[in-house]
Amino acid sequence: MTETIPAPPRDLPAAVDFQEASDGIECYRLSTNGLRVLLLPQDGAPVATSMVTYHVGSRNERTGHTGATHMLEHLMFKGTERYHKRKGTSIFETLQSVGAKVNASTWLDRTNYYEMLPTEHLPLALDIEADRMRGALIDAEDVEDERTVILNERDRNQNDPVSRLLDEVWGAAFVAYPYHHPTIGWKSDIERITPDGLREYYDTFYWPDNATLSIVGQFDRGETLAEVAQHFGDIGSAPHEIPQVTTEEPEQSGPRRVTVRQDGQLGAVLMGFKSPPALEADSDVLDVLARILASGKSSRLFRRCTDRGLTSDVFGINFRLRDPGLFSVFAYLAPDQDHQTVEDAIHETIQDVQENGITQEELDRARSQLRAQIAFDRDGPMRVASQLNEALAAGDWKLYTQYLDRLDEVTAEDVQRVARTYLTRDRVTIGRYVPTS
């Protein structure tokens, strides 16, 4: 439930406007450029995590420039005029010299850059993030160096049958929407993208009004907001409208299939069903259904498949994304089992939920599992920032604070209804991994 804090801090900088609060997280915005700032002060060790989430991911890439977001993730660490290896002030070395853990990640809906470090050095992290928000060099030499690194990374992914199977299923499930593209990009695009093309992409999306700064840990609210205003306040907002994705995926009208044949031992089956956007209530219900179907020894697919020797492991994931994604069931085949038998068993298990529903005991157990997972995922500033980042990617940071309450609203009837609505054979894309040895 969203609530406003009783009184914003008296030392609130002039350029900082309070917006709202929810479950201890306070949301501010810089009036000079639109940068959103989320603060979650916590008691404990004098450590803080700073994370900049850019609201751009592989969904924003056009054909010919796939992988641009991921390549920029690499290049943003290569430096600026102030922070650069040739000056002995590389971003990694500068942050690691004060004990920081630093990294970044790219996904379909977002990119994030983060540091966990002693609170006394938080201003340094803010200075670096503000500097590279608009000051990344994107040198031609750096582009060529990272091109080689990323092509090698892509080759490693392609040599992993499971990673390749995921790419193939997503590529078949989405024919129009850019979730079709692998986050790392298509090989030909990685090989051909130019420094000018990357600069154009950077200048299109990497602006304060297309970003959120999250700070979690032990810090002084007033001092931190003053530091944020000092480091980020003079950066201009985007001189243009941030382009939005307008493509809509057409309705799927029948099952789709892909097969990956590659060296390996055990086969696998991946079923992906079209699912709603992360912010819709049905997505909460699908989280529960994923647990009931394929989480732990008490789950239906474990009992139906693993206990009976059809699979060596099975699990379910509801990919919660900004736009419609995939509810996925993944199964490793047991030795000497065939794909069709396992596929049939999965379909039969889903059909049983659709026709007969679930028990209250199953619902309660699934909610308990999700609550335990959430507690684990929110243990410490870095984990909290990471989960908050995914809510931002989905389109509303308050999904983080309201998620447990939303789970309480899920009923057994809801679970049966979403199974009937989304887990249909006309909405499924099935991938088979067939080992060649």
PDB file of all heavy atoms in Angstrom, residues 40 49 56 59 87 106 139 269 272 283 385:
ATOM      1  N   LEU A  40      16.232   3.816   0.115  1.00  0.00           N
ATOM      2  CA  LEU A  40      15.787   2.885   1.145  1.00  0.00           C
ATOM      3  C   LEU A  40      16.859   2.820   2.230  1.00  0.00           C
ATOM      4  O   LEU A  40      17.791   2.015   2.166  1.00  0.00           O
ATOM      5  CB  LEU A  40      15.534   1.488   0.570  1.00  0.00           C
ATOM      6  CG  LEU A  40      15.088   0.424   1.598  1.00  0.00           C
ATOM      7  CD1 LEU A  40      13.846   0.875   2.362  1.00  0.00           C
ATOM      8  CD2 LEU A  40      14.850  -0.916   0.922  1.00  0.00           C
ATOM      9  N   THR A  49      24.489   0.362  -1.391  1.00  0.00           N
ATOM     10  CA  THR A  49      24.492  -0.027  -2.807  1.00  0.00           C
ATOM     11  C   THR A  49      23.884   1.097  -3.622  1.00  0.00           C
ATOM     12  O   THR A  49      22.804   1.596  -3.305  1.00  0.00           O
ATOM     13  CB  THR A  49      23.694  -1.320  -3.034  1.00  0.00           C
ATOM     14  OG1 THR A  49      24.376  -2.407  -2.408  1.00  0.00           O
ATOM     15  CG2 THR A  49      23.554  -1.620  -4.518  1.00  0.00           C
ATOM     16  N   VAL A  56      16.194   0.890 -20.777  1.00  0.00           N
ATOM     17  CA  VAL A  56      16.492   0.474 -22.144  1.00  0.00           C
ATOM     18  C   VAL A  56      17.117  -0.909 -22.078  1.00  0.00           C
ATOM     19  O   VAL A  56      17.967  -1.194 -21.240  1.00  0.00           O
ATOM     20  CB  VAL A  56      17.445   1.476 -22.852  1.00  0.00           C
ATOM     21  CG1 VAL A  56      18.737   1.667 -22.077  1.00  0.00           C
ATOM     22  CG2 VAL A  56      17.738   1.036 -24.282  1.00  0.00           C
ATOM     23  N   ARG A  59      14.832  -5.022 -25.949  1.00  0.00           N
ATOM     24  CA  ARG A  59      13.533  -4.757 -26.575  1.00  0.00           C
ATOM     25  C   ARG A  59      13.545  -3.444 -27.366  1.00  0.00           C
ATOM     26  O   ARG A  59      12.682  -3.233 -28.230  1.00  0.00           O
ATOM     27  CB  ARG A  59      12.417  -4.699 -25.514  1.00  0.00           C
ATOM     28  CG  ARG A  59      12.482  -3.475 -24.638  1.00  0.00           C
ATOM     29  CD  ARG A  59      11.534  -3.552 -23.456  1.00  0.00           C
ATOM     30  NE  ARG A  59      10.158  -3.261 -23.811  1.00  0.00           N
ATOM     31  CZ  ARG A  59       9.638  -2.040 -23.830  1.00  0.00           C
ATOM     32  NH1 ARG A  59      10.385  -0.989 -23.571  1.00  0.00           N
ATOM     33  NH2 ARG A  59       8.376  -1.873 -24.127  1.00  0.00           N
ATOM     34  N   LYS A  87      44.778   7.187 -17.726  1.00  0.00           N
ATOM     35  CA  LYS A  87      45.083   8.167 -16.673  1.00  0.00           C
ATOM     36  C   LYS A  87      45.293   7.500 -15.322  1.00  0.00           C
ATOM     37  O   LYS A  87      45.505   8.195 -14.322  1.00  0.00           O
ATOM     38  CB  LYS A  87      43.958   9.196 -16.566  1.00  0.00           C
ATOM     39  CG  LYS A  87      43.796  10.071 -17.795  1.00  0.00           C
ATOM     40  CD  LYS A  87      42.729  11.134 -17.558  1.00  0.00           C
ATOM     41  CE  LYS A  87      42.621  12.067 -18.760  1.00  0.00           C
ATOM     42  NZ  LYS A  87      41.611  13.131 -18.557  1.00  0.00           N
ATOM     43  N   THR A 106      22.665  -6.609 -18.445  1.00  0.00           N
ATOM     44  CA  THR A 106      21.725  -6.220 -19.500  1.00  0.00           C
ATOM     45  C   THR A 106      20.645  -7.284 -19.602  1.00  0.00           C
ATOM     46  O   THR A 106      20.922  -8.475 -19.502  1.00  0.00           O
ATOM     47  CB  THR A 106      22.447  -6.111 -20.852  1.00  0.00           C
ATOM     48  OG1 THR A 106      23.540  -5.203 -20.738  1.00  0.00           O
ATOM     49  CG2 THR A 106      21.505  -5.623 -21.940  1.00  0.00           C
ATOM     50  N   ASP A 139      35.205   4.869 -27.753  1.00  0.00           N
ATOM     51  CA  ASP A 139      36.313   4.939 -28.699  1.00  0.00           C
ATOM     52  C   ASP A 139      36.268   3.756 -29.666  1.00  0.00           C
ATOM     53  O   ASP A 139      35.895   2.635 -29.297  1.00  0.00           O
ATOM     54  CB  ASP A 139      37.655   4.907 -27.959  1.00  0.00           C
ATOM     55  CG  ASP A 139      37.949   6.215 -27.233  1.00  0.00           C
ATOM     56  OD1 ASP A 139      37.346   7.241 -27.613  1.00  0.00           O
ATOM     57  OD2 ASP A 139      38.765   6.197 -26.295  1.00  0.00           O
ATOM     58  N   VAL A 269      13.403 -30.671 -22.601  1.00  0.00           N
ATOM     59  CA  VAL A 269      12.195 -30.097 -23.190  1.00  0.00           C
ATOM     60  C   VAL A 269      11.945 -28.745 -22.539  1.00  0.00           C
ATOM     61  O   VAL A 269      12.027 -28.607 -21.314  1.00  0.00           O
ATOM     62  CB  VAL A 269      10.971 -31.008 -22.966  1.00  0.00           C
ATOM     63  CG1 VAL A 269       9.683 -30.281 -23.351  1.00  0.00           C
ATOM     64  CG2 VAL A 269      11.099 -32.291 -23.778  1.00  0.00           C
ATOM     65  N   GLY A 272       7.210 -22.968 -23.602  1.00  0.00           N
ATOM     66  CA  GLY A 272       6.961 -21.566 -23.282  1.00  0.00           C
ATOM     67  C   GLY A 272       5.567 -21.155 -23.713  1.00  0.00           C
ATOM     68  O   GLY A 272       5.214 -21.274 -24.897  1.00  0.00           O
ATOM     69  N   SER A 283      -0.219 -12.164 -13.590  1.00  0.00           N
ATOM     70  CA  SER A 283       1.181 -12.552 -13.501  1.00  0.00           C
ATOM     71  C   SER A 283       1.531 -13.046 -12.098  1.00  0.00           C
ATOM     72  O   SER A 283       2.347 -13.956 -11.932  1.00  0.00           O
ATOM     73  CB  SER A 283       2.086 -11.381 -13.898  1.00  0.00           C
ATOM     74  OG  SER A 283       3.369 -11.827 -14.267  1.00  0.00           O
ATOM     75  N   ALA A 385      18.521  -4.007  -3.887  1.00  0.00           N
ATOM     76  CA  ALA A 385      18.646  -3.170  -5.077  1.00  0.00           C
ATOM     77  C   ALA A 385      18.381  -3.983  -6.339  1.00  0.00           C
ATOM     78  O   ALA A 385      17.751  -3.499  -7.288  1.00  0.00           O
ATOM     79  CB  ALA A 385      20.028  -2.530  -5.128  1.00  0.00           C
TER      80      ALA A 385
END
